[in-house]
Amino acid sequence: MMQSVTYRKMKNHLMSGLMLACTLAVLVPLGLIFFHILKMGVSSLSLDFFTHVPAPTGEPGGGMANGMVGSAIMIAGASLIGLPVGILGAIYLSEFGGSKVSTLIRFAADVLSGTPSIITGMVAYTLLVVPMKGFSGLAGSVALAMIMIPIVLRTTEEQLKMVPGSLREASLALGVPFWRTSLKVTLRSALSGVLTGVLLAVARIAGETAPLLFTALGNQFWSKNVMQPMAALPLQIFSFAIAPYEDWHRLAWGGALVLVTVMFALSLTARYFGRTRQAG
Amino acid sequence: MNNKVQLEQVNIHFGKTHAVRDISMTFPEHSVTAIIGPSGCGKSTLLRSINRMHDLVPSARVTGKILVDDGDIYDRGVDPVAIRRRVGMVFQKPNPFPAMSIYDNVIAGYKLNGRLPREEADEIVESCLKRVALWDEVKDRLKSNAMMLSGGQQQRLCIARTIAVKPEVILMDEPASALDPISTLKIEELIEELKERYTIIIVTHNMQQAARVSDYTAFLYMGDLVECGETKKIFTTPEQKQTEDYITGRFG
């Protein structure tokens, strides 16, 4: 039976309204969080904030420069370990895979990416902190790399699988060896997608706090030696936010603002690369 | 005339499927041999075995001998990469490298394998594009992306890319089936010219095309070689009833 036009239009409006409400339900909290952090944090941002280490208790001023540098060093270290493993592993899975080993690797990667990050921190603690008899930035990097690897591995594999087989064949038919084809044709064609995955993985580990708690530990002072305990932005936010000093709370808000901004920028860049891929 | 490529009792299996059955035939040097037959008869499968493209398919198994210049390309110790440099291939769908310029596509075989001096590259690009009659159409935009070209131009670019690495044999897998009639004509004229330097083996399901471009024709049906010989003879006085039925359009 035909429904009247008015009835169908009404139903259409109702459903559209519901979907709009759902979208808002997601966006509003995000907006609230962002604006609250902006409001609380923007006053703490100053040149000192980016150039100084935290001031001793009771003294005004100070910044989070050591935390930002520490985070940067550990993220770089994690990328140095995680990117080659993740990307080469993905090439194996997509270009050479198909065997039982690949299924096992995929399963392991999925389990690893679902592992709570505090567990990852405990693993790094057991593997590195205990034998080396001390907390270190290196242990922090390794813990972060363990979070990074499955993300990079699976996104890169998906991207490589999307490269049409005809391109591989074109290259092989020109007498290019398979390994060169994999690197220079297949990986090259998937590059923007791979880059998107890498940036998202970096954004993800930039905000990780739990795995650093008992690996990098944190540091009140300048710490550029990866064999020593190292400061990190999320760790500083954590310890400052629960401290009973008003000054430290302000620093924590500033740190949160910086962290959110960095992650926002990374996600936007990732989206940009994702878009250029579709256009090209 | 010399036989450039020779098949001796070639059988190809994919898992349990027996795709090509016991085929023996020869491909004379500097000539065009067409392989015709209905869809699924194994003609592309046979073609791909001549430059070892099946090596990539784990379930594929090729037995028998495939000789190029009297050397069995499936012999132990033969490097498939070296074979593919001698036996080039043009595919059904034009597949230029999308991230490369027209210029870079022509010299892709060199660039992907290492470096190439600038002057040498310029020379190869110009001569190969001229030989596929594409030079005049693209000489002012060599640095623009290869995907900007039309389908027919892309296919001629792919042929230029193939001859740039100086193969001896060129395999063509329905090279014009994705193209319009004018582009098809251009490709056919090109094939006629290319046979002076190369041995060409072309798979096509367009029988007029086979009649126009080839010197020899092989008719495959259900993985069997039904008949092969001079194109003129196959198309006028075939020996097998099946060949005649196919050519006259009674089936397939």
Side-chain angles (χ1 to χ4, degrees):
Chain A
M1 224 179 81
M2 278 268 283
Q3 294 168 330
S4 77
V5 174
T6 350
Y7 177 70
R8 281 189 285 132
K9 271 193 175 160
M10 210 178 71
K11 210 163 66 171
N12 181 31
H13 285 309
L14 182 74
M15 286 325 232
S16 306
L18 264 175
M19 284 187 277
L20 184 69
C22 290
T23 314
L24 286 179
V26 177
L27 284 181
V28 167
L30 183 71
L32 284 178
I33 292 171
F34 192 74
F35 282 110
H36 192 64
I37 291 179
L38 194 67
K39 197 180 80 186
M40 302 298 287
V42 79
S43 61
S44 358
L45 297 188
S46 61
L47 191 63
D48 275 6
F49 182 85
F50 291 100
T51 52
H52 282 66
V53 300
T57 328
E59 282 181 34
M64 286 181 142
N66 58 342
M68 289 182 251
V69 169
S71 274
I73 292 174
M74 280 191 282
I75 291 169
S79 305
L80 221 57
I81 305 167
L83 294 188
V85 175
I87 291 175
L88 290 175
I91 293 178
Y92 175 82
L93 288 183
S94 124
E95 308 300 303
F96 299 85
S99 58
K100 276 183 187 152
V101 186
S102 317
T103 321
L104 202 69
I105 294 173
R106 275 190 205 103
F107 179 70
D110 289 344
V111 171
L112 194 58
S113 63
T115 308
S117 53
I118 190 120
I119 307 286
T120 314
M122 283 164 64
V123 172
Y125 177 84
T126 317
L127 287 180
L128 284 162
V129 178
V130 173
M132 288 167 72
K133 297 193 172 58
F135 299 101
S136 65
L138 179 71
S141 283
V142 170
L144 294 180
M146 279 196 273
I147 298 171
M148 200 175 189
I149 287 170
I151 305 175
V152 173
L153 184 84
R154 291 312 298 269
T155 51
T156 305
E157 188 199 353
E158 290 309 313
Q159 294 300 325
L160 291 177
K161 279 186 169 163
M162 276 162 58
V163 175
S166 63
L167 284 186
R168 292 182 185 85
E169 287 186 341
S171 171
L172 292 168
L174 287 171
V176 180
F178 195 79
W179 68 271
R180 270 184 190 274
T181 301
S182 298
L183 287 180
K184 291 189 153 185
V185 176
T186 317
L187 187 60
R188 176 72 189 72
S189 306
L191 201 60
S192 60
V194 172
L195 221 50
T196 307
V198 168
L199 286 175
L200 290 176
V202 169
R204 162 83 195 276
I205 62 166
E208 282 291 348
T209 320
L212 298 179
L213 285 173
F214 30 48
T215 51
L217 188 67
N219 198 324
Q220 284 291 83
F221 309 102
W222 275 111
S223 50
K224 290 176 199 156
N225 183 350
V226 290
M227 305 312 280
Q228 294 293 323
M230 195 175 256
L233 202 50
L235 278 179
Q236 273 182 339
I237 296 170
F238 172 67
S239 52
F240 285 16
I242 57 172
Y245 312 108
E246 195 53 39
D247 265 4
W248 282 19
H249 288 171
R250 281 201 309 104
L251 284 180
W253 280 115
L257 179 58
V258 170
L259 192 59
V260 166
T261 311
V262 167
M263 290 175 68
F264 196 58
L266 281 172
S267 301
L268 277 182
T269 321
R271 282 203 68 106
Y272 170 77
F273 278 116
R275 189 162 315 162
T276 46
R277 180 184 73 243
Q278 274 156 15
Chain B
M1 208 180 287
N2 276 336
N3 287 327
K4 184 72 186 175
V5 179
Q6 196 168 343
L7 312 184
E8 288 177 14
Q9 291 170 327
V10 173
N11 281 282
I12 303 172
H13 296 259
F14 291 102
K16 287 193 170 100
T17 318
H18 197 172
V20 166
R21 297 160 186 272
D22 215 24
I23 290 186
S24 299
M25 66 178 292
T26 56
F27 299 91
E29 199 166 16
H30 300 304
S31 68
V32 179
T33 306
I35 303 177
I36 60 169
S39 298
C41 71
K43 51 193 191 306
S44 288
T45 303
L46 184 66
L47 190 77
R48 287 165 157 267
S49 67
I50 304 174
N51 69 345
R52 292 190 59 168
M53 286 306 256
H54 293 309
D55 286 19
L56 305 167
V57 186
S59 68
R61 194 158 50 85
V62 181
T63 56
K65 279 186 178 172
I66 298 180
L67 308 172
V68 176
D69 281 342
D70 300 328
D72 186 355
I73 61 169
Y74 282 90
D75 249 351
R76 225 176 233 280
V78 171
D79 181 3
V81 172
I83 292 301
R84 293 187 197 122
R85 282 186 195 146
R86 293 172 60 201
V87 184
M89 186 158 191
V90 177
F91 299 86
Q92 181 171 6
K93 256 184 79 185
N95 55 357
F97 296 113
M100 291 187 194
S101 64
I102 296 171
Y103 186 98
D104 285 341
N105 258 284
V106 179
I107 53 168
Y110 296 92
K111 274 195 74 173
L112 294 173
N113 268 325
R115 295 194 161 278
L116 182 68
R118 183 61 204 261
E119 280 153 39
E120 211 178 313
D122 285 345
E123 203 176 304
I124 291 172
V125 169
E126 185 171 346
S127 72
C128 291
L129 287 177
K130 277 183 175 161
R131 266 154 69 198
V132 299
L134 196 58
W135 176 252
D136 290 330
E137 293 165 48
V138 303
K139 65 181 174 203
D140 301 322
R141 46 176 176 148
L142 290 172
K143 292 289 169 194
S144 55
N145 191 285
M147 303 312 278
M148 308 292 275
L149 299 176
S150 74
Q153 288 173 325
Q154 286 185 15
Q155 192 62 303
R156 276 181 284 153
L157 179 64
C158 290
I159 295 175
R161 174 177 76 185
T162 303
I163 59 177
V165 293
K166 304 185 179 75
E168 298 156 36
V169 180
I170 301 177
L171 310 176
M172 297 187 169
D173 191 356
E174 302 185 29
S177 68
L179 306 180
D180 63 84
I182 307 255
S183 305
T184 302
L185 189 69
K186 284 187 178 162
I187 299 281
E188 287 180 6
E189 284 169 1
L190 184 57
I191 292 171
E192 188 66 31
E193 271 175 45
L194 289 175
K195 76 174 182 186
E196 281 171 29
R197 296 199 197 196
Y198 313 99
T199 304
I200 295 175
I201 306 174
I202 176 173
V203 158
T204 174
H205 51 212
N206 177 338
M207 277 173 289
Q208 287 76 27
Q209 185 171 66
R212 281 192 300 263
V213 302
S214 72
D215 305 300
Y216 302 91
T217 297
F219 172 55
L220 259 61
Y221 185 66
M222 305 274 283
D224 288 308
L225 177 65
V226 176
E227 189 171 353
C228 83
E230 282 188 41
T231 300
K232 223 178 276 171
K233 185 169 173 300
I234 297 273
F235 277 88
T236 50
T237 53
E239 280 171 15
Q240 303 290 325
K241 179 85 172 61
Q242 234 173 0
T243 315
E244 194 185 327
D245 287 351
Y246 182 68
I247 285 165
T248 51
R250 247 167 265 169
F251 80 99

